[in-house]
Amino acid sequence: YEAIEDRESAYELLQRRAEAATQAAEMEKIQAAEAKAAAERQQQWEKQAAAQAREAARLAKEREKLLLDLAEGAAQALGGRQGKKIVRGVMGGILGYGTGRRR
């Protein structure tokens, strides 16, 4: 009879367990919502990066076409085969086409 007895009832123990389970479930919901939001942010960032890459590629193509049109016009203005060779060499150097010698 000298031992101290635990005065908690079974109801109180079950009540504490239920509260702990409820808190754990709420934490899981919060973590799932945060993970979903992070995934959505990542997806949005990837879409923006892809759009920027497409725009950069479009601008590069447009720039190259403009330079090629300019070179064609210059070759016609210079006239003949020699003019075309000169413009082709200059534009090849600018655009980085081929390093070999053409004949």
Side-chain angles (χ1 to χ4, degrees), residues 18-43:
E19 287 175 10
T22 302
Q23 288 177 352
E26 288 177 13
M27 288 300 292
E28 287 178 13
K29 284 182 184 179
I30 291 170
Q31 289 173 346
E34 288 174 352
K36 183 179 178 182
E40 288 174 355
R41 283 191 304 270
Q42 178 69 22
Q43 187 178 23

Side-chain angles (χ1 to χ4, degrees), residues 6-96:
D6 188 9
R7 293 286 180 190
E8 288 183 302
S9 68
Y11 174 79
E12 291 170 335
L13 290 173
L14 291 174
Q15 191 69 17
R16 242 186 273 141
R17 285 184 190 167
E19 287 175 10
T22 302
Q23 288 177 352
E26 288 177 13
M27 288 300 292
E28 287 178 13
K29 284 182 184 179
I30 291 170
Q31 289 173 346
E34 288 174 352
K36 183 179 178 182
E40 288 174 355
R41 283 191 304 270
Q42 178 69 22
Q43 187 178 23
Q44 185 66 22
W45 181 84
E46 288 172 356
K47 282 182 182 179
Q48 287 176 347
Q52 288 174 348
R54 283 191 305 271
E55 181 66 13
R58 185 188 68 77
L59 289 175
K61 270 186 171 179
E62 193 174 294
R63 194 175 309 125
E64 184 175 344
K65 184 182 181 314
L66 178 66
L67 287 174
L68 291 175
D69 289 346
L70 177 67
E72 186 178 319
Q76 288 176 357
L78 289 174
R81 205 166 114 193
Q82 293 299 336
K84 288 182 181 181
K85 280 185 177 181
I86 291 170
V87 171
R88 188 180 305 131
V90 169
M91 294 307 292
I94 291 172
L95 296 175

